[in-house]
């Protein structure tokens, strides 16, 4: 399978902007391609002439040397632009270079113990998907669907990696006054756009269209159940995303199933949907009390290890509150998050126990 010289136009359709073009010599032997799926030690790379299976150049394996963190970050991720040379050993092409990323979404960036992992690279826009609830829904369920604190955490992780963000309030069809929610959140999260969608109503997702420029790569994040798959299906206009499976003919003429994670919408925008992207929401949930280091430090001074910081004797947090060194709002946010985390951990522990039975 030879790599015909690609036309810059079709590379652009895959998201090859001037930022990446500047890192490539069209006169050279290497061909640019975009990583669309990752396997153990192998990558599926989309080029204007089709999808190729590629391995990493041995030199790059070696360069991955030293600290585990930078090694993990240097691995090609879905969305990366790479430069390929053709292998002499038949079908497999070789990734000779990973081009400098414009953006990256990293999981575990804030944690100190976990090795950070690039979930996706070169996403232009990350859409934070929330779900509106019908009137009379249990407040806990409402808060699960739409939680400004969680949106804040997502925005922090997304913008840290250099991508743009937008907030989508899905299931607008269920809510009686979505516009009021948009106004309130719009004020709180400006300049990030807040828009409503309805993924299961025909034409209900049209507002999302304004975010989809040709050649622009977008990803959806949010808790499960908020409607990410439904939105993706609505955007793509077919059902391939249900499994991400595409039938392809391999080098020996057999039909194989390829699990692609980068899709083109009819409007020409590129949609990234990886398992990691889905786990990202959960990881963010579990990243725990990152961002509350100040409160954690103060609370370390409490007399009792299991202090609930609600006026117990010797509570350092209550004392800091009294001295004006800690705001009540900050302490309440911390307590709220700690409680949420506590309940979630109990839930996952129970689920793990149930699985063992
Ligand atoms: P995901 O876990 O985020 O991918 O969520 P899904 O796309 O699987 O949706 C979860 C459930 O919500 C499904 O039963 C969908 O049919 C439903 N759903 C998704 N979007 C909407 C919407 O805009 N309006 C309504 N009423 N239901 C929706
Ligand atoms: Zn305390």
């Amino acid at each position: 399978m030879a790599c015909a010289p690609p036309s810059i136009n079709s590379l652009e359709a895959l998201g090859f902007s001037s930022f990446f073009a500047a890192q490539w010599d069209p006169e050279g032997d290497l061909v640019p391609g975009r990583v669309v799926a990752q396997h153990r030690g192998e990558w599926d790379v989309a080029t204007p002439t089709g999808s190729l299976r590629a391995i990493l150049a041995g030199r790059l394996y070696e360069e991955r040397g030293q600290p585990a963190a930078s090694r993990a970050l240097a691995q090609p991720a879905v969305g990366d632009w790479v430069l390929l040379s053709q292998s002499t050993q038949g079908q497999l092409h070789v990734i000779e270079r990973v081009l400098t990323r414009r953006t990256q979404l990293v999981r575990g960036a804030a944690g100190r113990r976990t090795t950070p992992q690039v979930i996706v690279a070169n996403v232009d826009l990350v859409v934070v998907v929330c779900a509106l609830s019908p009137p009379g829904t249990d407040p806990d369920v409402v808060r699960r669907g739409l939680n400004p604190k969680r949106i804040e955490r997502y925005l922090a992780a997304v913008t840290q990696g250099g991508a743009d963000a937008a907030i989508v309030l899905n299931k607008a069809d269920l809510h009686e006054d979505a516009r009021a929610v948009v106004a309130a959140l719009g004020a709180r999260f400006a300049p990030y756009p807040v828009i409503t969608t309805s993924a299961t109503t025909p034409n209900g997702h049209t507002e999302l269209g304004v975010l989809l420029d040709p050649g622009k790569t977008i990803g959806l994040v949010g808790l499960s159940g908020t409607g990410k798959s439904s939105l993706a299906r609505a955007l793509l206009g077919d059902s391939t995303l249900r499994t991400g499976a595409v039938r392809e003919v391999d080098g020996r003429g057999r039909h194989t199933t390829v699990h692609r994670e980068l899709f083109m919408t009819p409007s020409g925008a590129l949609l990234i949907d990886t398992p990691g992207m889905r786990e990202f929401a959960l990881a963010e949930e579990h990243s725990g009390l990152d961002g509350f280091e100040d409160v954690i430090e103060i609370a370390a001074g409490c007399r009792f290890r299991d202090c609930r910081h609600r006026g117990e004797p010797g509570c350092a947090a209550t004392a800091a509150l009294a001295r004006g060194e800690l705001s009540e709002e900050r302490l309440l946010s911390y307590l709220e998050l700690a409680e949420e985390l506590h309940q979630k951990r109990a839930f996952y522990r129970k689920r793990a126990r149930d699985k063992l039975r």
Side-chain angles (χ1 to χ4, degrees):
M1 206 172 352
C3 295
S7 97
I8 197 79
N9 281 336
S10 41
L11 280 170
E12 269 169 8
L14 286 169
F16 198 67
S17 62
S18 53
F19 179 88
F20 303 108
Q23 303 179 56
W24 172 57
D25 172 14
E27 308 291 313
D29 296 331
L30 303 180
V31 181
R34 192 156 194 202
V35 175
V36 293
Q38 188 173 354
H39 311 275
R40 244 171 220 293
E42 294 181 4
W43 288 263
D44 285 329
V45 181
T47 74
T49 51
S51 241
L52 311 167
R53 184 59 72 92
I55 51 174
L56 202 56
R59 178 175 45 79
L60 291 182
Y61 272 108
E62 279 153 32
E63 274 175 21
R64 290 181 309 161
Q66 282 83 54
S70 47
R71 198 165 58 223
L73 294 177
Q75 283 265 326
V78 172
D80 258 326
W81 278 98
V82 296
L83 297 183
L84 300 163
S85 68
Q86 207 178 342
S87 162
T88 48
Q89 309 152 15
Q91 294 302 322
L92 290 184
H93 293 247
V94 177
I95 296 173
E96 298 288 348
R97 257 186 74 196
V98 181
L99 297 187
T100 301
R101 294 174 182 134
R102 204 180 74 74
T103 75
Q104 56 182 10
L105 201 51
V106 178
R107 183 170 63 177
R112 292 195 198 101
R113 272 172 238 144
T114 47
T115 307
Q117 182 195 346
V118 178
I119 295 164
V120 291
N122 301 320
V123 177
D124 298 297
L125 176 75
V126 176
V127 178
V128 178
V129 183
C130 309
L132 293 165
S133 308
T137 306
D138 181 276
D140 281 347
V141 176
V142 173
R143 242 170 56 85
R144 183 181 145 79
L146 177 62
N147 182 331
K149 288 234 154 59
R150 183 183 303 127
I151 296 176
E152 255 168 29
R153 289 203 294 272
Y154 284 154
L155 290 180
V158 167
T159 53
Q160 192 182 23
D164 261 341
I167 298 155
V168 156
L169 308 178
N170 190 35
K171 308 196 185 182
D173 54 299
L174 299 178
H175 198 275
E176 48 191 354
D177 194 5
R179 245 192 275 168
V181 187
V182 169
L185 287 179
R188 175 163 178 173
F189 290 115
Y192 301 107
V194 179
I195 65 172
T196 58
T197 56
S198 179
T200 50
T201 312
N203 302 320
H205 59 278
T206 44
E207 269 195 82
L208 198 51
V210 304
L211 303 173
L212 304 180
D213 296 333
K216 195 162 160 180
T217 305
I218 73 157
L220 309 174
V221 297
L223 287 192
S224 65
T226 48
K228 296 180 300 299
S229 316
S230 307
L231 278 172
R233 272 197 296 276
L235 288 175
L236 293 170
D238 64 32
S239 59
T240 48
L241 198 76
R242 213 181 299 269
T243 60
V246 203
R247 300 273 288 163
E248 269 195 2
V249 182
D250 73 6
R252 298 190 191 99
R254 294 174 310 192
H255 281 279
T256 54
T257 304
V258 181
H259 287 267
R260 254 200 220 125
E261 297 168 353
L262 185 75
F263 304 84
M264 196 176 285
T265 70
S267 74
L270 300 147
L271 180 67
I272 271 192
D273 184 72
T274 70
M277 200 86 174
R278 278 155 192 276
E279 288 155 24
F280 176 69
L282 215 59
E284 282 306 299
E285 290 296 293
H286 284 267
S287 68
L289 298 162
D290 285 328
F292 280 99
E293 286 80 6
D294 55 338
V295 186
I296 292 167
E297 205 168 301
I298 291 170
C302 295
R303 184 181 304 163
F304 301 113
R305 264 195 69 189
D306 60 351
C307 182
R308 293 169 67 233
H309 322 306
R310 290 180 174 125
E312 284 91 334
C315 174
T318 313
L321 208 61
R323 284 196 304 270
E325 289 166 8
L326 177 65
S327 78
E328 187 170 20
E329 202 200 339
R330 184 126 181 96
L331 179 58
L332 286 175
S333 308
Y334 168 82
L335 291 174
E336 190 184 302
L337 188 59
E339 177 61 23
E340 206 178 306
L341 209 67
H342 176 74
Q343 286 179 8
K344 261 185 209 109
R345 293 213 169 112
F347 169 79
Y348 284 107
R349 264 200 302 275
K350 181 181 179 314
R351 202 171 67 169
R353 264 202 308 275
D354 290 348
K355 272 191 183 157
L356 285 175
R357 287 208 181 107

